[in-house]
Amino acid sequence: MGGSPVWDGTLSLDSFNTSAAALVKRWKEIEVDDSLPEWTWKPCSKSRVPLEVGGYLALERVYSSCGRSQEQIEEMEKFDDAGDVAWVESSSDNVHVYDFHVVYSFSYKVPVLYFRGYHTSGQLLTLDEVKEGLPSHSQKVLSESKWTFITQEEHPHLSKPWLTLHPCATSDWMKLLLEETKATDKERSLQYLPACMYGD
Amino acid sequence: MAAPHDEAAAWSEEAARRVWAGAVPLQVHLHDADVTALPPPPAFLTLGPRIGYLPLLIPVIKAHFSNALPPGVDTVWFEYKGLPLKWYVPIGALFDLLCADPERPWNLIVHFRGYPSEILSPCEGEDSVKWSYMNSLKEATFIITGNSKSVMNMSHADQVALWESVMKGNLDGYKSISTRLKIGPFEDDGLVRTASAERKRQQNSDEPESPGSSKPCRVPVRLYVRNVQEDLEYIEDAVPVSDWEGVSYINRPFEIRKVEGRSYITLEHALQTLLPEFFSSKAASRADGSHPAGALDSAADSSDATNSSRSSKEAEQALASPREVGAAKKTKVKLVRVQGIELDMDIPFLWVANNLKNPEYYLHICVYVGTRKQ
């Protein structure tokens, strides 16, 4: 490239793909928490329209509950299967399941996080229910900037309503996180998504 | 020098007036299950502004049906031939996409209950539409200028006034605020007039910007690609869209790179770049060459295809690489519509972007492609 100016915190599509692969690999290596599912790469192709090769990252079926471990939740699910309905209903109210997707935004040239939560019954969580599961600091931010933090938008590949973290400030954040590292473009693209995750 | 510029400005002015005045006649029927009165209320006739959004019509529609509605909380949504309509897509784009043969009036069904939240994002009426609009405007501004500052830094009063002008179709009010955002128009040389570019221009007005330093210009585009039967003879016979799975929505800016020896970029070239998979390999390879390509040749061929022309086309394709032939055989562009107009594919793309855009600076393009049944 030669003489490139100050990095603006954005990512090209190729770099996104490279970085996604790096994240999938690193996630496997570091064994964050055995109970967490793994990030996978989902190639996207609409059933009838052959679109160009592309895809997104997915981390699906992440359980979230107040003070319960993954094992306890799985234990509860077994009860569910055994038909212990009354007990499960009262306790599974506190268990939410989340799917996370990281999709490349051509507009903002950054990765964008899409997510949705649902009850163990499969019923989708409303934005209010998702809000309740957020740390108190995030709840405060959300109440102050209703439309620029978490918004409800169409998933670019699934054409279904998902929640998204608004991407308009992502490049500034990433610039802060990575510009000190003096990395080359290639190194930077490898670090980009992993840094995103830890940065949270 | 002033005369041609004035003339072009007058044309742009005229185009904007027509885009803003464009409307789809709607005949809105109340969904059977929501009718609690006998006889059922008559359908409601109204004009849906092309640049407007369906939820903005809810107050007048609700007033019309108020006596027939069941008690309780309303969650309003619209349906056309079984398909829940996405409220954040402008009415004109929905009409161009879903009515292959423009149906006038457009018969829609309004529901006040049973919101399909698996398919549509929740809508809290005007407020949701306003913020969807502002988010789109912010995104378009980011695409064009590289940041969203001009929108983020708007005063609250300006934001309100801008939205009011869009909602009421007040072009003059809109222009007085939007020009201050300094996002466009796109210039013929592929550069965009932004606040910083303007300053540069004033500093050294004689010196043209060096080509290496200028950023490639990006145009905000929303593409709606609808699949129709490949062997469709008349576009109006297309099977109605029953599921959004049958439509590919592509929100991707078109990046303009100055190509040596080409005076301007055609609509066709822009579409080839955005949707390479839908143009035949023959056209795609020509598009990279020096002369403006005619990718729609192939689409036109097929619409009045006789056996002989088809076989000659297949012979041509046999010369291309096998993978490309596969793609070219599977899909073909049948129709391209912007603001209800079937555009000439040789029209300069930047003219289209400047003059047929919606008020959030996005160009909404509907493309019908013939797809072989699988």
Side-chain angles (χ1 to χ4, degrees), chain B residues 141-153:
Chain B
T141 309
F142 192 98
I143 290 169
I144 298 168
T145 67
N147 63 67
S148 304
K149 285 187 192 112
S150 59
V151 176
M152 301 296 273
N153 295 342

Side-chain angles (χ1 to χ4, degrees), chain A residues 46-52 106-109 124 146-148 151-152 154 158-161 166 168, chain B residues 86 88 117-120 122 124 131 135 138-139 142-143 218 227 247-248 252-253 277-278 371 374:
Chain A
K46 281 247 172 170
S47 49
R48 276 165 287 177
V49 186
L51 282 175
E52 68 190 72
F106 286 88
S107 302
Y108 289 104
K109 297 193 203 167
L124 279 178
K146 188 179 173 195
W147 302 97
T148 50
T151 54
Q152 238 145 350
E154 188 175 309
L158 305 178
S159 303
K160 295 260 159 66
H166 204 273
C168 65
Chain B
K86 294 184 175 176
Y88 38 89
S117 48
E118 288 277 326
I119 300 168
L120 305 178
E124 295 162 28
W131 285 104
N135 269 336
K138 211 161 76 178
E139 188 170 342
F142 192 98
I143 290 169
R218 300 206 300 160
N227 298 294
V247 175
S248 297
R252 193 171 301 179
E277 55 275 53
F278 299 132
T371 314
Q374 286 169 352

Side-chain angles (χ1 to χ4, degrees), chain B residues 9-246:
Chain B
W11 276 110
S12 290
E13 173 85 25
E14 172 72 8
R17 296 236 166 261
R18 292 199 184 203
V19 165
W20 277 63
V24 181
L26 303 175
Q27 180 157 269
V28 184
H29 306 262
L30 182 59
H31 180 56
D32 289 346
D34 292 344
V35 176
T36 61
L38 270 173
F44 180 65
L45 284 159
T46 189
L47 282 177
R50 279 196 154 267
I51 58 164
Y53 300 86
L54 286 169
L56 300 180
L57 302 172
I58 290 173
V60 285
I61 291 172
K62 201 168 164 175
H64 175 84
F65 291 121
S66 61
N67 291 330
L69 294 176
V73 182
D74 298 325
T75 47
V76 189
W77 56 285
F78 295 84
E79 175 209 319
Y80 176 62
K81 294 193 173 166
L83 182 75
L85 301 181
K86 294 184 175 176
W87 56 265
Y88 38 89
V89 178
I91 293 172
L94 283 174
F95 183 64
D96 291 346
L97 174 71
L98 301 174
C99 287
D101 184 24
E103 173 187 310
R104 294 190 180 92
W106 192 21
N107 284 284
L108 301 182
I109 292 172
V110 63
H111 295 250
F112 285 80
R113 295 290 180 278
Y115 195 84
S117 48
E118 288 277 326
I119 300 168
L120 305 178
S121 309
C123 179
E124 295 162 28
E126 188 200 319
D127 217 23
S128 300
V129 183
K130 176 185 170 184
W131 285 104
S132 164
Y133 171 82
M134 291 307 289
N135 269 336
S136 298
L137 178 66
K138 211 161 76 178
E139 188 170 342
T141 309
F142 192 98
I143 290 169
I144 298 168
T145 67
N147 63 67
S148 304
K149 285 187 192 112
S150 59
V151 176
M152 301 296 273
N153 295 342
M154 269 173 106
S155 70
H156 181 69
D158 275 0
Q159 276 192 33
V160 170
L162 184 73
W163 171 242
E164 294 267 306
S165 70
V166 171
M167 205 171 58
K168 294 184 175 143
N170 170 9
L171 177 57
D172 293 324
Y174 170 81
K175 280 204 297 199
S176 72
I177 299 166
S178 65
T179 44
R180 291 212 294 275
L181 295 174
K182 292 259 190 320
I183 38 177
F186 303 105
E187 302 280 4
D188 288 341
D189 53 7
L191 298 172
V192 63
R193 202 183 290 155
T194 60
S196 60
E198 196 89 318
R199 271 198 302 278
K200 222 178 200 172
R201 190 184 299 230
Q202 280 158 6
Q203 278 163 12
N204 43 5
S205 52
D206 294 335
E207 209 177 304
E209 291 193 49
S210 61
S213 70
S214 64
K215 275 203 289 189
C217 154
R218 300 206 300 160
V219 181
V221 175
R222 291 199 163 147
L223 281 162
Y224 307 86
V225 184
R226 171 177 170 181
N227 298 294
V228 293
Q229 310 91 296
E230 188 189 34
D231 53 1
L232 197 65
E233 204 166 335
Y234 302 103
I235 201 82
E236 51 268 34
D237 294 337
V239 177
V241 177
S242 59
D243 184 333
W244 284 106
E245 287 284 307

Side-chain angles (χ1 to χ4, degrees), chain A residues 60-135:
Chain A
E60 295 184 337
R61 297 196 68 76
V62 178
Y63 287 85
S64 152
S65 66
C66 315
R68 283 198 187 83
S69 73
Q70 183 80 11
E71 288 77 33
Q72 281 173 305
I73 294 161
E74 276 164 10
E75 199 62 28
M76 278 160 46
E77 280 205 320
K78 278 183 208 153
F79 274 100
D80 200 1
D81 294 340
D84 194 349
V85 181
W87 187 82
V88 170
E89 268 184 1
S90 62
S91 56
S92 65
D93 273 356
N94 299 323
V95 180
H96 294 165
V97 190
Y98 283 91
D99 290 342
F100 299 96
H101 288 178
V102 177
V103 182
Y104 183 70
S105 162
F106 286 88
S107 302
Y108 289 104
K109 297 193 203 167
V110 292
V112 183
L113 180 71
Y114 286 82
F115 64 101
R116 63 171 187 180
Y118 39 95
H119 295 283
T120 44
S121 64
Q123 169 94 30
L124 279 178
L125 298 181
T126 63
L127 182 55
D128 285 337
E129 288 171 309
V130 170
K131 252 188 258 179
E132 283 164 25
L134 290 174

Side-chain angles (χ1 to χ4, degrees), chain A residues 2 21 27 29 38 45 53 55 59 65 111-112 150 154 185-186 198:
Chain A
W27 194 264
E29 287 164 2
E38 297 206 327
S45 58
V53 186
L59 182 73
S65 66
V112 183
I150 294 180
E154 188 175 309
D185 285 353
K186 182 157 182 287
Y198 308 143

